[in-house]
Every structure is written in C-alpha cells, then in structure tokens.
Amino acid sequence: MKVLVIGGGAREHALCRALSLDPDVTALHCAPGNAGIAEVAELHAVDALDGAAVADLAASLGAGLVVVGPEAPLVAGVADAVRERGIPAFGPSAEAARLEGSKAFAKDVMAAAGVPTARAYVCTSPAEVDEALDAFGPPYVVKDDGLAAGKGVVVTEDVEAARAHALACGRVVIEEFLDGPEVSLFAITDGETVVPLQPAQDFKRAHDGDEGPNTGGMGAYSPLPWADPALVDEVVATVCRPTVDELRRRGTPFSGLLYAGLAITSRGVRVIEFNARFGDPETQVVLARLKTPLAAVLLAAATGRLADEPPLRWSDGAAVTVVLASHNYPGTPRTGDPITGLDEVAEKDGPKAYVLHAGTKRDGASGEVVSAGGRVLSVTATGSDLAKARERAYRAVGRIGLEGSHHRSDIAAKAAAEAGS
C-alpha cells in the first residue's frame, strides 16, 4: 500500500523508518518531513493543520493509509478530514483527541471510567488557583489545560513559581504530586480492541540527574527490567480498556494510539496524563524493538479490524535513544548550525545504531544538514541488553558534531546498572 505520514519530527522519522522496512509498503510519503526522513520517504509541503489540504494530498498520492503523527493536527481534526474523503487514517477524531487537547476533559473521562489518577482541581481564577495550591501543598503540579508541546507542566516546591505558571496559562489543572517511577505505555486501538505495545521510560528534565526545566523528552529506553511483568496487563485492564470503552459510550470512539503516562506509586498505578498519539522519544525505542511489520497493524486499527491481527512480535533485546538538543533548549533554541558525523554513524555503527532526525533541514545554499529546532536528533541503538544498547547509542552520539548542543549522559544508566547487578 501507499502510506502518507503527517509530521516532521523524530517520532515521524521512527514511524517512516519502520514503514520503510515493511514489505507491504510500496510507496512512502511524508509531509512536511525533515532532512532525515527524506532518505526513506518522498517529502511534500503541506500545512499539517489544514485537514482539507492533507486530504487533498493523500487523494492525489493514492494513499491507502494516512498516519497523523503530532497532536496538534489531531486536535485540529485532520484525521476526520482524511476519513471524510474515504481514506483510512490512523489517529483519533478531533473530539476523541480532546483526551490530550484538554487536561480537564481527560480528568472527566477518567472519573467516569473509574481510571486511577491524581486528585485534581480545574482552575480558571486566581482565587481558585490559590485554593488548589493550598489544598495540595508542595511539590506543586500545575498543568496547562491545553496543548503545550510537552512544556506546559511545572512541578516545583516554589509556590510563587507554581502560581505564576498557573496565572500565565489561564485555565489550568492543579493536582496532587504522584510519587514513584514513571512509565509510558502505548496501546493501539480501533475503538474496541486494545493492543498494548512494550512499555518505555522517558526522561523529561533537561539535565543529568533529572535536573533543570521540563522538556519534550531528552531520551528513553525499553524494556523496563525493574517493572512488574504483570504491569502491561494491569494497565490495559484498569486504564486503557476502561478509557476506550468510556469514549465509545459517549459516542466519540477513540481510534489510533492511546498513550498513557503513568506513575507507579506506593498506592498503585496512577495516570499522570493521556496523549492521543505516539510519544516522542519513546516511539524511537518501542518501534526499534517491534518485529511485526507496522503498516498492517495501523491499517487494521484505522479500519476497525484490529481483532483480526495476530499478536505482536518483539525482539528480546533492548533499545536506548539519546536526544541531541540545540543550544539553549528548552528556551529559545539556536538554529541553523551545521550537523556533522551523520555519515560516519551510518557507516561505522549501522544498523545497530542510527540517527532519527527531529529538528533538521537541508540548507538550500550549502546542501548541509543544519539544525532547525530545539530537539535536533534522536540517536537510537539496539543491543542484547540495556547496557549494550546504551554503549552503542553514546558511541554514536560521540561521532556527531553540533556547536552548542547538549544531551543527557545518564539515559538508562540506572536501569542498565540494576539489570546487570
């Protein structure tokens, strides 16, 4: 089949890479894509938030499947526009994507479905903000109700910082702090059947030791050797399936990728947040371990036939991804810097280690690949265990040159050490 992927980050590069390796995919297109995606897919210019334009492009290409990567096009109804043209789309409707587009809506769905999550207040005035902050005490957790590209959450001991963030957002969700390690679990669903992927853990803080500001994610690994083997089944039974059932009951079935961000607390599993699409950078490591060809699974979800698909197959090994970020990320990142060493990684480390592009483009004058965003590259590697995957990932990172860039040096370090002890 011909597949069109919408988006231009490392998540979309991971999706395109997996689809390019699928023998059922006869032609692969991506809009708008990036410099790395251009090596595995034909790129097209399109406004990813314009549903009619995306649907027109898909129709002109004869696409048999459109995969909508980022959250903003989903919330804007792009998947709806594609489906209205009779083309299968992997991604929820605008109504169902409110699960990510509004934290308050997600809390309402979870309450109705009996899904365990943090106690929370939805606040729209300074008085409500002060009351909520006083009720929970530190550490304070303040979340922008709407989309914020992974940077709308502040967790702080400083009540004034928490209050300032809340007032800057307008409508916010203030909730109790959840202790314990965090886990990301993706589940593919057609609105009825729920198929979990392998869990991953990402690293949100900018610097080693979980220091610094929140980011969109600085790295990830999978599997989780420290997690209970029954965790996935438990999350499907208590989180994913009840949520999918509740949205179907409301008349807004969720079809696509349900991402549950979880805290494994002293009182059990609790949902931190839902996303309505593949997560970044977790997708990079989850798809690195998936052995089942991807296209048929996504098409089955898009066409209501997921129950007919055989069980997913996974590699026994591990995967680690390390994000290389621009100077000053997650503030105002510097862009336009040349990136070196990409060919060297491909030559010396592939296919066990490879580079997935996020914020890159090819300079029109020089032909060089240059930085074009905050998170620039996801350097991803596989291995027989986390220690081997981690070693390969960081060896590849060491070959790459990007002036002023930074990355965390401790991705998967603790998990690898514990697994090896």
Side-chain angles (χ1 to χ4, degrees):
M1 77 182 96
K2 296 178 181 178
V3 181
L4 170 62
V5 176
I6 302 301
R11 164 187 47 227
E12 287 76 35
H13 194 174
L15 286 164
C16 284
R17 180 181 182 274
L19 290 164
S20 74
L21 298 173
D22 187 331
D24 287 340
V25 176
T26 55
L28 182 59
H29 303 269
C30 186
N34 61 40
I37 295 173
E39 297 177 8
V40 294
E42 183 179 345
L43 302 191
H44 303 269
V46 76
D47 179 353
L49 298 178
D50 186 336
V54 171
D56 286 344
L57 175 61
S60 71
L61 296 172
L65 174 66
V66 175
V67 180
V68 184
E71 58 272 26
L74 291 168
V75 171
V78 168
D80 304 83
V82 172
R83 277 190 284 266
E84 285 167 9
R85 295 287 289 272
I87 302 169
F90 181 83
S93 66
E95 193 64 29
R98 290 179 65 207
L99 204 59
E100 176 169 5
S102 168
K103 303 290 190 298
F105 176 77
K107 287 290 186 185
D108 183 65
V109 170
M110 283 187 272
V115 170
T117 187
R119 293 181 299 117
Y121 293 100
V122 179
C123 305
T124 57
S125 71
E128 289 174 344
V129 166
D130 290 341
E131 185 180 342
L133 293 173
D134 186 56
F136 288 130
Y140 303 99
V141 182
V142 183
K143 299 180 176 181
D144 191 333
D145 181 52
L147 294 180
K151 290 176 279 188
V153 179
V154 164
V155 181
T156 179
E157 299 278 346
D158 183 343
V159 68
E160 289 307 319
R163 188 172 192 273
H165 181 66
L167 297 181
C169 293
R171 181 179 165 97
V172 294
V173 173
I174 296 176
E175 62 184 39
E176 68 175 327
F177 177 76
L178 296 174
D179 64 316
E182 295 185 12
V183 174
S184 300
L185 184 72
F186 303 161
I188 293 173
T189 177
D190 57 8
E192 291 197 18
T193 301
V194 176
V195 176
L197 305 186
Q198 289 288 299
Q201 186 175 64
D202 77 331
F203 294 75
K204 282 280 186 266
R205 299 285 186 167
H207 307 305
D208 284 7
D210 292 328
E211 298 290 332
N214 264 347
T215 71
M218 294 298 292
Y221 69 93
S222 179
L224 312 180
W226 49 268
D228 187 327
L231 175 65
V232 172
D233 289 343
E234 178 188 349
V235 173
V236 169
T238 63
V239 174
C240 300
R241 194 167 286 123
T243 300
V244 169
D245 290 347
E246 172 61 20
L247 286 168
R248 188 175 66 251
R249 187 190 66 76
R250 293 179 178 216
T252 55
F254 188 105
S255 168
L257 194 289
L258 179 63
Y259 165 145
L262 310 161
I264 313 301
T265 77
S266 55
R267 294 170 293 147
V269 174
R270 296 288 185 274
V271 175
I272 300 170
E273 65 176 357
F274 280 126
N275 291 325
R277 39 70 193 180
F278 281 99
D280 185 342
E282 299 98 325
T283 300
Q284 289 86 301
V285 292
V286 172
L287 292 186
R289 298 186 56 225
L290 179 66
K291 294 173 72 174
T292 300
L294 184 61
V297 181
L298 301 186
L299 182 63
T303 54
R305 298 181 293 101
L306 197 54
D308 299 334
E309 287 296 301
L312 299 179
R313 295 179 295 113
W314 299 92
S315 74
D316 292 330
V320 171
T321 194
V322 179
V323 170
L324 201 65
S326 291
H327 173 73
N328 202 42
Y329 177 79
T332 303
R334 193 173 75 201
T335 60
D337 289 313
I339 302 167
T340 62
L342 298 176
D343 291 340
E344 188 180 356
V345 172
E347 178 186 332
K348 295 183 177 178
D349 301 309
K352 298 291 188 183
Y354 49 89
V355 179
L356 298 170
H357 292 231
T360 70
K361 67 177 182 180
R362 196 167 288 278
D363 184 89
S366 68
E368 292 178 306
V369 176
V370 299
S371 60
R375 292 187 295 173
V376 181
L377 304 170
S378 285
V379 182
T380 305
T382 57
S384 55
D385 56 25
L386 280 175
K388 189 65 179 176
R390 190 172 180 279
E391 175 192 330
R392 285 175 175 156
Y394 278 105
R395 184 188 306 135
V397 168
R399 302 191 198 279
I400 297 170
L402 174 60
E403 187 179 345
S405 66
H406 64 97
H407 64 273
R408 285 185 57 158
S409 66
D410 62 349
I411 304 300
K414 183 179 177 184
E418 290 175 354
S421 62

